[in-house]
Amino acid sequence: TLQNLIDRIAAGTLRNVEIVLVIGSKPSAKGLQRATTAGIKAELVASKDFKVDGKQDWPSMSSRVCELLAQDRVDLVVLAGYMCLFIVPPELENKVINVHPSLIPAFCGQGMYGERVHQAVVARGVKVTGCTVHYVTNEYDA
């Protein structure tokens, strides 16, 4: 998804759009590599660094992400391949979208992400598929 956006911007078919920041939760995230290659600022906010008593601390991680977004004055957040819970602050309500690699409600829910979705679609023999883009709220998987 990120590479497609980068390519469309470069080709001039996606106008008035600038990707100012890419945030990844793992050092191996391809998005971080693609951003760096394209000259886009890339930041790692490692999910492994946000744990309390062995449990993921999503509020603290989300706060760090929001700090970075505010520094770069981001006005739209696209979660594409971002597999961490992001708590949307009031100032970003209706400004965060998620790209899910299937037509929801098919092929969604626990364990349905990335390549797993595509494998499930092929295994089921589905003839028509696509992606779903939706606003992110603080109601998980709403």
Side-chain angles (χ1 to χ4, degrees):
T1 302
L2 173 62
Q3 190 62 54
N4 190 30
L5 293 171
I6 291 168
D7 293 347
R8 298 293 71 75
I9 292 167
T13 55
L14 185 57
R15 297 183 181 104
N16 301 317
V17 174
E18 178 185 10
I19 302 171
V20 296
L21 175 65
V22 172
I23 298 173
S25 61
K26 296 181 188 249
S28 61
K30 288 182 184 175
L32 294 173
Q33 299 162 7
R34 289 180 176 168
T36 300
T37 299
I40 300 167
K41 181 179 176 182
E43 293 279 353
L44 174 64
V45 179
S47 55
K48 68 176 183 62
D49 295 340
F50 294 88
K51 294 196 177 199
V52 174
D53 297 327
K55 288 185 160 184
Q56 204 65 53
D57 183 2
W58 297 124
S60 292
M61 186 173 175
S62 294
S63 290
R64 177 62 185 139
V65 168
C66 287
E67 288 172 13
L68 294 169
L69 297 173
Q71 287 173 11
D72 285 300
R73 302 177 62 144
V74 172
D75 57 13
L76 176 68
V77 177
V78 179
L79 302 178
Y82 189 76
M83 299 305 302
C84 298
L85 177 65
F86 178 64
I87 299 169
V88 181
E91 65 271 15
L92 288 176
E93 278 186 25
N94 298 315
K95 295 178 181 179
V96 181
I97 59 175
N98 181 55
V99 180
H100 182 78
S102 78
L103 297 172
I104 292 174
F107 307 104
C108 63
Q110 188 169 359
M112 282 290 121
Y113 58 88
E115 192 66 28
R116 293 177 179 192
V117 172
H118 306 298
Q119 291 168 345
V121 167
V122 170
R124 180 86 51 90
V126 172
K127 302 289 185 218
V128 177
T129 189
C131 69
T132 301
V133 179
H134 62 89
Y135 286 105
V136 175
T137 68
N138 287 326
E139 184 180 339
Y140 191 68
D141 270 352

